[in-house]
Amino acid sequence: MMRILMLSQFFPPIIGGEERHVKVLSEALVRRGHEVSVATIRQGDQPEVEVEAGVTIHRLQGSLQRNAGLFSESQRRHAPPFPDPELMFRLNRIVRAEQPDVVHAHNWLLHSYLPLQRIYKKRLVVTLHDYGSVCAKKNMIRQGLPCSGPAPFKCLPCAGQHYGGVKGAVTWLTNASLGRMGLGQVDAFIAVSQAVATRCGLDPRFDQFEIIPTFLSDDVGQLADGHGERLDLLPKSDFLLFVGDLMRLKGVHTLLEAYRRIEAAPPLVLIGRHCKDTPASLPKNVTVLNSWPHAAVLHAWSRCLFGIVPSEGLETCGTVVMEANAFGKPVVACRTGGLSETVLDGKTGILVPPGDVEALRHALLTMLQDHSLRARLGAASLIHAGAYMTKAVVPRIERIYEGSTSMSAAGGRQ
């Protein structure tokens, strides 16, 4: 039995792929006999401490979180890429109370813990869910296109355009300097894809790391009741499904243009969050369903013909692909970032170049017209999904906690 402290700037009910990953991992570890606590940033009037599914959740208030004007989304007041004095003080109290054997950090809340690591010297594990260790925006996108890599003359103006001048400069400078300095205190890294490991600069000569993708709950296929009103909005016939933010970076514009060029196509359903660049006009037979709860989205996966993941950004892993596969649904996706690792081209789906309307149209048409291909890819997808289930992944993370796994380096970062 181990005592594990998770550091996650957001946690349900604030929800996203990363937050769901921390929740599923924490609850799975509890079921396997470990004591797990989570330190996260308090949002609104949430209780400071509560226990859910055996996991003790500590919600912290930081100095920056008191200024709502610093954040574009009031319900997602993220941790800064430098030590926040108040967060550090409160984390110190939690570490003293919980006495963890392992501290497992998942994002920028790590920076407020690093000064304490010098004192407590816990086994420190960091999961890289995105490109935040080298990119102030975390997505490695510059001027709407994948970035070739960090450099001051690129990163400073890019961060300024994203966050605003002063805020962007501070974010970039502190993230670039403290992020690199903090690497030396990490005992082991987990990267959710080889794409993330490579772009974040993990070096097998110096860094202890392992590629472990995000994963799904073992009961993902057990659909929950109580979503009848939403499910009534789905087409009664076969349909195609996209799940994600309704933005250009996720390939929505390319998808709509490719779909518009297919005659007599089944309905297309888009489930996601409305964004600034969400298309204003839609082709015929396209249904948009805004921000559905995750349990309802799983129902949609179970009913669709196949999924479409046309992202044009550097996707880190591809949880939506895993969810589609868990219901035996193949996907048409773009060959970018971690999607190239999650989708096995010609075996569990079809990969196309990002932003290529005609290639995407051809792939969609192939999947629609070739029923035997779709059935074969779907059957392989269901088998492939087994590698992304909790029972397959969590033991690998436990071995990293124990320090007994054979990872990519013999020693720590020099």
Side-chain angles (χ1 to χ4, degrees):
M1 187 274 287
M2 289 178 284
R3 298 173 66 89
I4 302 150
L5 172 62
M6 300 284 179
L7 304 181
S8 178
Q9 61 184 356
F10 303 127
F11 193 77
I14 305 299
I15 198 65
E18 186 175 310
E19 294 77 33
R20 189 175 299 114
H21 172 90
V22 177
K23 176 180 171 64
V24 173
L25 173 58
S26 299
E27 294 177 358
L29 289 167
V30 168
R31 290 193 298 270
R32 294 174 68 87
H34 304 292
E35 293 185 15
V36 182
S37 53
V38 175
T40 187
I41 293 175
R42 189 182 183 192
Q43 310 287 338
D45 59 355
Q46 295 175 322
E48 290 186 10
V49 181
E50 64 178 332
V51 178
E52 291 184 358
V55 179
T56 302
I57 305 165
H58 300 271
R59 294 192 171 92
L60 319 177
Q61 185 73 48
S63 303
L64 269 67
Q65 280 69 44
R66 300 184 188 279
N67 188 342
L70 293 173
F71 304 95
S72 57
E73 296 182 68
S74 61
Q75 294 302 311
R76 297 182 72 89
R77 302 185 185 187
H78 56 75
F82 53 82
D84 179 301
E86 191 170 354
L87 287 176
M88 192 168 64
F89 171 77
R90 297 181 186 280
L91 282 171
N92 182 56
R93 293 199 307 182
I94 292 172
V95 172
R96 292 175 63 183
E98 296 289 349
Q99 290 293 306
D101 303 303
V102 177
V103 175
H104 188 169
H106 295 267
N107 39 51
W108 280 352
L109 192 54
L110 166 70
H111 294 296
S112 293
Y113 170 76
L114 283 176
L116 304 176
Q117 174 67 3
R118 295 188 179 94
I119 301 171
Y120 293 110
K121 301 186 186 306
K122 303 295 183 181
R123 180 160 177 79
L124 179 57
V125 177
V126 173
T127 290
L128 301 176
H129 293 272
D130 52 37
Y131 308 106
S133 64
V134 293
C135 174
K137 292 165 54 180
K138 301 188 177 185
N139 60 11
M140 293 290 285
I141 295 297
R142 177 172 177 260
Q143 298 177 349
L145 298 171
C147 179
S148 60
F153 75 91
K154 295 191 298 183
C155 297
L156 182 56
C158 186
Q161 292 171 6
H162 184 72
Y163 293 109
V166 175
K167 182 180 173 184
V170 171
T171 301
W172 168 73
L173 182 61
T174 55
N175 188 55
S177 57
L178 293 177
R180 183 54 53 182
M181 291 167 56
L183 289 177
Q185 299 186 65
V186 177
D187 294 298
F189 292 94
I190 298 171
V192 297
S193 66
Q194 184 61 55
V196 168
T198 299
R199 286 186 169 266
C200 287
L202 292 182
D203 190 331
R205 296 173 299 172
F206 308 127
D207 297 311
Q208 292 270 4
F209 73 92
E210 187 169 343
I211 309 300
I212 301 180
T214 54
F215 55 93
L216 307 175
S217 174
D218 290 334
D219 62 358
V220 64
Q222 299 177 15
L223 299 174
D225 297 329
H227 300 283
E229 291 185 4
R230 284 190 171 89
L231 300 182
D232 288 342
L233 300 175
L234 294 173
K236 301 300 185 288
S237 60
D238 292 333
F239 62 91
L240 315 183
L241 181 60
F242 166 94
V243 176
D245 288 343
L246 307 176
M247 60 192 301
R248 184 176 297 277
L249 200 58
K250 294 293 185 179
V252 170
H253 296 72
T254 301
L255 169 58
L256 292 178
E257 180 56 34
Y259 180 79
R260 185 180 283 111
R261 298 182 186 183
I262 300 176
E263 294 185 8
L268 170 63
V269 175
L270 311 178
I271 301 179
R273 184 178 59 162
H274 192 278
C275 302
K276 291 181 180 179
D277 61 350
T278 297
S281 62
L282 301 171
K284 185 180 178 181
N285 289 333
V286 175
T287 299
V288 175
L289 305 170
N290 283 304
S291 301
W292 270 24
H294 183 243
V297 173
L298 295 180
H299 277 275
W301 281 124
S302 74
R303 298 186 182 189
C304 72
L305 268 180
F306 58 88
I308 311 169
V309 189
S311 295
E312 297 173 20
L314 296 169
E315 291 290 342
T316 57
C317 186
T319 305
V320 291
V321 174
M322 300 175 192
E323 292 180 350
N325 289 172
F327 289 94
K329 308 297 181 179
V331 297
V332 173
C334 285
R335 189 179 286 104
T336 178
L339 287 178
S340 301
E341 303 166 46
T342 313
V343 179
L344 305 181
D345 192 22
K347 296 181 180 179
T348 65
I350 300 174
L351 290 173
V352 299
D356 190 327
V357 173
E358 188 55 31
L360 181 58
R361 184 198 73 84
H362 183 266
L364 295 178
L365 203 56
T366 298
M367 194 77 84
L368 284 169
Q369 294 178 342
D370 194 334
H371 301 281
S372 62
L373 172 67
R374 192 169 69 238
R376 176 170 58 81
L377 297 180
S381 296
L382 187 59
I383 295 172
H384 185 57
Y388 300 122
M389 295 299 176
T390 301
K391 60 187 176 184
V393 175
V394 172
R396 298 174 62 190
I397 296 176
E398 283 179 311
R399 290 193 290 272
I400 292 175
Y401 291 163
E402 296 163 355
S404 59
T405 186
S406 174
M407 294 191 289
S408 294
R413 172 170 287 273
Q414 299 173 350

